[in-house]
Amino acid sequence: AQSVAQPEDQVNVAEGNPLTVKCTYSVSGNPYLFWYVQYPNRGLQFLLKYITGDNLVKGSYGFEAEFNKSQTSFHLKKPSALVSDSALYFCAVRDDVEYGNKLVFGAGTILRVKS
Amino acid sequence: EPEVTQTPSHQVTQMGQEVILRCVPISNHLYFYWYRQILGQKVEFLVSFYNNEISEKSEIFDDQFSVERPDGSNFTLKIRSTKLEDSAMYFCASSPDRAPNSPLHFGNGTRLTVT
């Protein structure tokens, strides 16, 4: 079965510094990977998805994610963090072999950006 | 931009009572989902629905739960006899098709409090 690990409960960065939120995955077949962001008392907003062949994917709000097949990782990155980026971030995966069309989410990582 | 809408935003009910959570998916989407999130923690898959039947369900989705698409626009989750541990945020989501790279679009959720 597919699974996702987000090894950090919380990531703290200073405004203007680069940020990385880590994600590793496990699937039987080909991975379909996504990042979502959740602000307090809101639903999950889609940020970006992995596109086959593009190891660096660009998404909303200046975020990007780096896919690494050998390390089974899909880390979320941003070159310069904003205080408004502070939120809960979820990595999610879908497996095209065990594909029951659901997304499986990681436990989430709280990002705190301090001014 | 089209949105998934959920009502009510907050539902308080007594243990043992039935509740119905309502969702209006994005109009041209074909796949519908319910997820839940307990206390801002992990987002857990409950059920997926396509062509008027359940595609997949998790272990959480036991006989106390049911889903229905009563008309062309609404998608409901019913909990027949609520338990304290059903207290959570319930998110509805939809996607346009079965393609594995299609992201899910989430509503803002219904906070269910069982007392």
Side-chain angles (χ1 to χ4, degrees):
Chain A
Q2 65 264 51
S3 65
V4 176
Q6 293 181 242
E8 302 152 317
D9 292 336
Q10 184 167 316
V11 170
N12 298 310
V13 297
E15 188 175 32
N17 282 0
L19 70 87
T20 298
V21 182
K22 295 180 180 178
C23 170
T24 59
Y25 65 89
S26 174
V27 294
S28 300
N30 294 310
Y32 291 85
L33 295 152
F34 304 81
W35 276 101
Y36 283 81
V37 61
Q38 185 181 32
Y39 296 100
N41 300 312
R42 300 297 299 272
L44 283 77
Q45 295 179 34
F46 168 69
L47 273 182
L48 53 80
K49 66 181 181 183
Y50 169 60
I51 300 171
T52 304
D54 291 343
N55 288 344
L56 187 64
V57 180
K58 295 190 183 297
S60 305
Y61 312 119
F63 283 93
E64 56 192 27
E66 186 174 13
F67 174 73
N68 187 316
K69 186 174 183 178
S70 63
Q71 296 184 2
T72 60
S73 66
F74 190 57
H75 300 331
L76 182 69
K77 298 174 183 284
K78 188 172 183 180
S80 178
L82 300 172
V83 172
S84 58
D85 292 330
S86 298
L88 181 57
Y89 290 81
F90 290 97
C91 183
V93 69
R94 204 185 249 140
D95 183 341
D96 71 348
V97 169
E98 299 180 23
Y99 175 42
N101 75 342
K102 67 176 183 287
L103 283 185
V104 173
F105 286 85
T109 299
I110 297 170
L111 173 65
R112 293 199 195 281
V113 182
K114 296 185 179 180
S115 57
Chain B
E1 185 175 332
E3 294 182 339
V4 175
T5 58
Q6 292 186 243
T7 56
S9 57
H10 191 187
Q11 175 88 46
V12 181
T13 189
Q14 289 189 328
M15 193 169 51
Q17 295 296 305
E18 174 185 285
V19 293
I20 298 176
L21 309 182
R22 303 181 191 280
C23 169
V24 179
I26 295 173
S27 63
N28 62 345
H29 284 192
L30 301 178
Y31 284 85
F32 314 117
Y33 312 79
W34 284 100
Y35 282 78
R36 78 173 185 190
Q37 183 183 36
I38 297 176
L39 289 177
Q41 297 176 10
K42 190 168 185 175
V43 179
E44 300 174 302
F45 169 76
L46 292 178
V47 65
S48 59
F49 191 86
Y50 170 71
N51 200 26
N52 285 320
E53 61 182 27
I54 291 173
S55 297
E56 186 177 5
K57 60 183 181 180
S58 71
E59 293 176 353
I60 302 168
F61 195 87
D62 61 21
D63 292 343
Q64 294 298 313
F65 292 87
S66 62
V67 289
E68 191 178 28
R69 188 155 165 83
D71 53 42
S73 60
N74 290 284
F75 179 52
T76 62
L77 174 69
K78 181 191 293 186
I79 309 176
R80 188 181 316 150
S81 177
T82 50
K83 302 186 286 285
L84 293 176
E85 54 264 38
D86 293 328
S87 295
M89 281 290 287
Y90 287 81
F91 292 105
C92 175
S94 66
S95 63
D97 52 44
R98 194 180 169 84
N101 63 351
S102 284
L104 272 57
H105 300 261
F106 285 83
N108 283 330
T110 294
R111 180 177 300 278
L112 177 65
T113 302
V114 182
T115 62

